[in-house]
Amino acid sequence: MTPLVPGSRRRSALVAAWPRILGRQLGVAALLLLGFVAPVVVTLVLTHLGEQGIRVERDLQSVVTELHVQDGWEWRVISGRENARAGQGPITASRTRLDELLARATGEGLPADAAERVRAAIRTYQVAVDQELRLLAVGKWEAAATFDVSDVDPAFEQAQTVLAAEGSLVAVHTARALEYSDAGPAVMLLAIVTVSVVQGRRRRINVQHEAERAGEARYRTLIDQSSDLVLVTDRNGRCVFLSPSAERFLSSPEGAVAGESPQAVPFDLLSVVDPQDRARVAARLHAVTPERGADLELKLIGGHGTRRFAASVQDLEANPSVGGLVLTARDVTDKLLMLGELEHRALHDPLTGLPNRTLLTDRMDQALIVDRGVGTALVLLDLDRFREINDTFGHHHGDEVLRQVGPRLAQVVGPDATVARIAGDEFAVLLPRTTDLTAAISAAAALRATLEIPFLVDGAVLDLEASAGVVISGLHGTDASTLLQRADIAMYVAKTDARGVFVYDPELDARIPSKVSLLGDLRRALEHDELVLHYQPKVSVRTGEVVGVEALVRWEHPIRGMVAPDDFIPLAEHTGLIGPLTRRVLDLALTQARIWSDAGRPLVVSVNLSARNLVDDVLIRQVVGLLAEHGVRPELLELEVTETAIMTEPATAHQLLEALSRLGIRISIDDFGVGYTSIGQITSLPVDELKIDRSFVTTMDVDPDDELIVRSIVELGHNLDLTIVAEGVETEEVLTALSAVGCDVAQGYHLSRPLPVAAMDAWLDAHVANPTWIHEPPPLRVVPRPRRYGDRQEAHRPD
């Protein structure tokens, strides 16, 4: 065997060891590759996540901007600077942009649950704004202002809170991603670590600078576009920054800042604060801390006058980019004026400007507190023969008389007393610090006497008288409600017995049981749910379909049994109980309307209003509140008013009916044909239906004159595009006659008497199950009915 030479031995060993060497080299290369690639991949992924988070942050900030845009337009509308229709367009456009931004943020990585929380908060705010705009669109300024405070503002604050919370979470995740993007595995070579860290920090710095620039631009845009004033000041009130809106407000027409030289900043903030507010504002500036800001109201003197602002102050002295106190102020002058006007309207009679029942009650409460329940007198006055003035001279003269009554009464009692108008022709005089009943009676007599002096209106001399009811606290009651109720009773007795002045007598019920004793029972009936509703159907003359029901109140007296409406409704109308009674009827009627609607049987429910209701300033709020409480569509409620009720105060009635009609509520004129409403007035009223008085309907099949009247009303109503209802249908013959003249709807005992709810449901089921309607109008009807010309009669020609 040939021995191997040393070189060949090494070559053989190298060949034998090559696989192991190659494996080690590959392993080292793999480790090197892994150590370089893995950090790069991790860094790229985390950097991408960080940049993605920044984009989400930017979108959420833009969402906040759009929310402020919507809030700005909402404020312009509620403050009266823009109408609801003008504000709807910009608000809708902003909402569209907001939805797009939120969708983009979701696509860029905003978690789905976070996006849903943001959407829910914004949706709540937008729904509140829509409801507020609807109230403003129908002229409900007072309700809109209340709703703005109770719902809109809290919803806006909640939306901001949710957006801030979600934005903070996104910012935290973004920062972590950017920080982690700088780290690499422990096995990473020092050079690779150094390069990655440097590159990561560079990227982070660039991204942070970009975010800061975007944020600064965003907030600069917000400040520039905001109508709020933003000022940066030191604790002595020296301003170093003014937002554009602040510059515009403070600049005089010549371009100088009010109270200073033309140099805009720095300037003394206190120099443009109203002198009465300066000490308070200066104290707040020194008291504010980083942990506790300050809210205040102040008046600022601008280049075009003084305005009132609601302001907040935050201490950002420690923030190097601010270095001072930030005062943000919103102009609330118009809002306060509007709220003041709304409050005045809510507490005063629109015709006379006198306090109404609400303000009178409030002042009574205050007087009773001061007098400790003893020593406050109340006189209620009812004008006798006032309706004669309206009927004879017209409502212009009647309104002018009412305007003259207040000043006359005030001259008698002096400045400490309160003179109020509490109903159409009823006035009240509150006499504080009056402990002597004799003095109260003397005051009532003097008040009557001044009203007996003739009134002069447009050259006409008009005579009036009055009936007065007197009560005094301690003797007749210790609270406003009791005193008002007992003064009502006393006034009622004075009027019905022609006594002039009558003092409430606790023994009154025993002496006059027929009427007055019912009054106390009626109050208790309202409190103990003794009132119930019966329903009478309204049926289509042509098809027999039930098109609605009329709600008629009944009183189930625990002792007297069923009390007829004619016995207690006039009593309620004459006293202050008609308001609570109407509200109770509306509540019961809408409760049943909702039950029928839920059962798949939606019926229009009609409720009667009295003349007193048409001058009640709380009626609309009650109707709107009850519709919302029961969830009933407005078109399922119909309110019936008589011609006489409308003509009591036509201007006020027209205004109220217009407001109700704009809400979608149907309006019906009841007992049409027996009042004084002219055709011109009917065309100007927001009427949907005419109900022909039963006196014409009941005998129209045998009395040609009544048939002619009914036919004329039907033709008139149809020409005005109104639904015509005939009430008092008691025979089949009358129903046939109504079909012949083209009447739309019938109501009366021939179809059904008023029924309790259970019986009404049974009747409706039976009526649907047995459709036996055969009242199609004939194509031609010849009725011989005489037409009278003086004493001569001649046959009427065929139609």
Side-chain angles (χ1 to χ4, degrees):
M1 184 166 70
T2 306
L4 294 175
V5 297
S8 62
R9 187 181 298 113
R10 285 194 301 270
R11 283 193 297 273
S12 299
L14 183 61
V15 171
W18 176 250
R20 293 193 303 273
I21 296 171
L22 181 60
R24 284 196 299 268
Q25 295 297 326
L26 290 175
V28 172
L31 287 174
L32 290 173
L33 183 62
L34 181 62
F36 178 79
V37 173
V40 172
V41 171
V42 171
T43 299
L44 290 175
V45 169
L46 292 176
T47 300
H48 172 71
L49 293 176
E51 293 173 345
Q52 191 178 54
I54 290 172
R55 289 193 293 271
V56 172
E57 282 187 81
R58 192 177 305 156
D59 289 338
L60 289 181
Q61 289 296 339
S62 298
V63 168
V64 173
T65 300
E66 293 300 337
L67 200 63
H68 278 278
V69 169
Q70 296 171 30
D71 179 59
W73 277 101
E74 179 266 336
W75 169 248
R76 289 189 180 101
V77 175
I78 191 65
S79 64
R81 298 179 181 181
E82 301 284 351
N83 59 47
R85 180 174 299 177
Q88 190 64 59
I91 290 176
T92 301
S94 177
R95 288 179 179 178
T96 301
R97 294 192 297 271
L98 188 150
D99 291 340
E100 293 172 352
L101 288 166
L102 201 52
R104 190 170 70 186
T106 304
E108 291 173 342
L110 179 66
D113 57 340
E116 184 55 35
R117 286 192 293 270
V118 171
R119 285 194 182 94
I122 293 175
R123 192 180 307 116
T124 300
Y125 168 67
Q126 292 175 347
V127 169
V129 170
D130 289 342
Q131 175 63 19
E132 180 182 70
L133 294 179
R134 282 193 292 270
L135 291 172
L136 292 171
V138 297
K140 300 298 295 177
W141 288 95
E142 182 178 356
T146 302
F147 188 77
D148 180 63
V149 175
S150 64
D151 290 68
V152 176
D153 288 346
F156 178 73
E157 297 297 334
Q158 179 62 20
Q160 283 190 307
T161 301
V162 171
L163 277 165
E166 300 302 338
S168 297
L169 288 175
V170 171
V172 169
H173 294 314
T174 300
R176 286 179 178 173
L178 290 173
E179 177 134 357
Y180 293 158
S181 69
D182 300 338
V187 299
M188 195 171 179
L189 295 175
L190 181 59
I192 297 177
V193 172
T194 303
V195 171
S196 297
V197 170
V198 171
Q199 290 178 341
R201 287 182 178 175
R202 184 176 298 165
R203 283 191 297 272
R204 182 175 62 188
I205 291 171
N206 291 337
V207 170
Q208 288 176 343
H209 285 172
E210 181 182 353
E212 289 172 0
R213 287 192 296 271
E216 183 179 350
R218 179 171 60 249
Y219 289 117
R220 169 63 66 176
T221 301
L222 283 173
I223 291 175
D224 289 348
Q225 297 300 319
S226 174
S227 59
D228 293 349
L229 278 56
V230 181
L231 304 91
V232 178
T233 178
D234 63 17
R235 292 189 180 273
N236 295 319
R238 198 66 177 169
C239 285
V240 296
F241 171 79
L242 293 175
S243 67
S245 57
E247 291 178 353
R248 287 192 297 270
F249 171 76
L250 295 173
S251 295
S252 66
E254 292 76 22
V257 174
E260 289 280 325
S261 66
Q263 182 66 33
V265 289
F267 82 99
D268 184 10
L269 169 64
L270 298 178
S271 68
V272 296
V273 175
D274 186 90
Q276 295 181 349
D277 295 335
R278 285 176 186 170
R280 181 168 51 87
V281 173
R284 292 292 183 91
L285 292 179
H286 283 90
V288 70
T289 65
E291 295 77 20
R292 186 174 182 178
D295 294 324
L296 67 156
E297 281 194 6
L298 72 161
K299 288 184 286 186
L300 294 177
I301 305 168
H304 297 273
T306 301
R307 308 282 291 180
R308 183 170 289 278
F309 289 82
S312 64
V313 183
Q314 290 181 304
D315 181 2
L316 296 181
E317 288 179 318
N319 189 324
S321 62
V322 180
L325 307 180
V326 178
L327 185 145
T328 305
R330 170 169 290 189
D331 190 338
V332 294
T333 308
D334 295 336
K335 183 176 184 178
L336 292 176
L337 289 174
M338 181 187 69
L339 291 176
E341 175 65 22
L342 292 175
E343 182 179 6
H344 185 273
R345 292 181 187 178
L347 299 176
H348 291 80
D349 171 56
L351 177 64
T352 64
L354 295 174
N356 60 15
R357 180 182 289 268
T358 303
L359 183 54
L360 172 68
T361 303
D362 180 70
R363 291 187 179 176
M364 286 182 67
D365 290 334
Q366 296 177 27
L368 290 169
I369 292 173
V370 173
D371 296 340
R372 298 183 179 180
V374 178
T376 299
L378 179 68
V379 180
L380 291 193
L381 295 156
D382 182 273
L383 303 183
D384 302 329
R385 298 167 53 193
F386 176 73
R387 182 166 292 182
E388 295 176 14
I389 294 176
N390 273 340
D391 294 343
T392 304
F393 293 94
H395 292 278
H396 167 71
H397 285 69
D399 289 348
E400 185 56 36
V401 168
L402 293 175
R403 292 188 185 98
Q404 294 182 24
V405 166
R408 284 199 186 187
L409 298 178
Q411 288 178 354
V412 173
V413 294
D416 292 338
T418 296
V419 177
R421 184 190 181 206
I422 59 175
D425 58 356
E426 288 186 16
F427 292 80
V429 180
L430 176 66
L431 303 169
R433 296 185 296 279
T434 304
T435 57
D436 185 4
L437 183 58
T438 303
I441 296 173
S442 298
L447 293 168
R448 289 190 69 245
T450 193
L451 295 179
E452 291 175 355
I453 301 172
F455 291 80
L456 182 63
V457 179
D458 292 345
V461 179
L462 308 175
D463 294 321
L464 272 184
E465 295 178 355
S467 301
V470 180
V471 293
I472 191 166
S473 63
L475 182 61
H476 302 131
T478 57
D479 62 273
S481 177
T482 301
L483 290 171
L484 277 167
Q485 292 170 1
R486 291 178 175 175
D488 263 335
I489 295 174
M491 185 181 67
Y492 179 78
V493 174
K495 189 175 185 69
T496 54
D497 293 358
R499 299 194 184 192
V501 177
F502 187 82
V503 179
Y504 175 78
D505 184 352
E507 303 297 326
L508 201 57
D509 289 355
R511 296 208 310 268
I512 314 175
S514 59
K515 291 290 185 183
V516 179
S517 63
L518 275 179
L519 195 58
D521 291 346
L522 182 56
R523 293 191 187 95
R524 289 189 292 273
L526 289 167
E527 296 172 357
H528 296 92
D529 296 335
E530 295 175 12
L531 299 178
V532 297
L533 295 186
H534 288 190
Y535 298 90
Q536 189 172 37
K538 299 163 70 173
V539 179
S540 168
V541 173
R542 188 176 66 84
T543 66
E545 176 187 3
V546 179
V547 296
V549 294
E550 181 177 358
L552 301 165
V553 65
R554 300 291 185 263
W555 181 6
E556 295 179 341
H557 195 285
I559 298 175
R560 301 171 184 260
M562 191 67 72
V563 181
D566 290 343
D567 290 334
F568 68 88
I569 290 180
L571 186 62
E573 288 180 335
H574 189 78
T575 64
L577 289 182
I578 191 62
L581 175 61
T582 301
R583 190 192 187 287
R584 179 60 179 161
V585 171
L586 284 167
D587 187 28
L588 293 172
L590 291 174
T591 298
Q592 187 57 43
R594 177 58 187 267
I595 293 173
W596 278 326
S597 183
D598 290 345
R601 181 185 279 165
L603 290 173
V604 177
V605 179
S606 301
V607 174
N608 291 280
L609 299 180
S610 75
R612 292 281 184 103
N613 294 135
L614 296 183
V615 295
D616 188 348
D617 51 3
V618 303
L619 177 67
I620 294 182
R621 291 200 298 273
Q622 289 181 347
V623 171
V624 172
L626 288 170
L627 285 170
E629 177 182 339
H630 295 290
V632 176
R633 303 195 309 274
E635 59 268 23
L636 293 181
L637 175 63
E638 182 175 71
L639 298 177
E640 296 187 8
V641 293
T642 64
E643 290 182 275
T644 304
I646 293 175
M647 297 309 297
T648 300
E649 287 201 33
T652 304
H654 188 281
Q655 183 179 10
L656 182 137
L657 294 177
E658 282 282 4
L660 291 169
S661 179
R662 285 196 297 268
L663 293 173
I665 297 167
R666 290 176 53 82
I667 305 298
S668 174
I669 303 297
D670 198 10
D671 300 338
F672 185 75
V674 297
Y676 304 97
T677 309
S678 68
I679 295 176
Q681 288 168 327
I682 289 295
T683 57
S684 67
L685 289 170
V687 179
D688 302 286
E689 177 183 279
L690 296 181
K691 294 188 74 173
I692 307 174
D693 186 72
R694 65 179 63 249
S695 62
F696 304 121
V697 175
T698 304
T699 57
M700 66 173 292
D701 61 319
V702 295
D703 188 331
D705 288 339
D706 287 344
E707 195 268 356
L708 176 60
I709 291 172
V710 172
R711 182 186 294 270
S712 299
I713 294 175
V714 170
E715 292 175 355
L716 168 66
H718 286 170
N719 288 333
L720 297 176
D721 198 25
L722 303 178
T723 301
I724 307 300
V725 179
E727 53 182 348
V729 179
E730 299 182 357
T731 65
E732 181 71 15
E733 290 75 18
V734 169
L735 190 59
T736 301
L738 289 171
S739 176
V741 299
C743 184
D744 302 306
V745 178
Q747 178 183 351
Y749 274 46
H750 175 64
L751 302 169
S752 173
R753 67 177 58 248
L755 299 171
V757 172
M760 186 74 253
D761 285 334
W763 186 93
L764 290 170
D765 292 338
H767 186 78
V768 172
N770 298 283
T772 57
W773 209 255
I774 55 172
H775 294 283
E776 286 289 342
L780 178 67
R781 183 170 183 251
V782 179
V783 180
R785 57 180 187 277
R787 175 176 290 176
R788 294 182 176 85
Y789 300 95
D791 296 330
R792 183 170 60 90
Q793 296 184 350
E794 67 178 42
H796 183 64
R797 298 176 184 175
D799 292 334

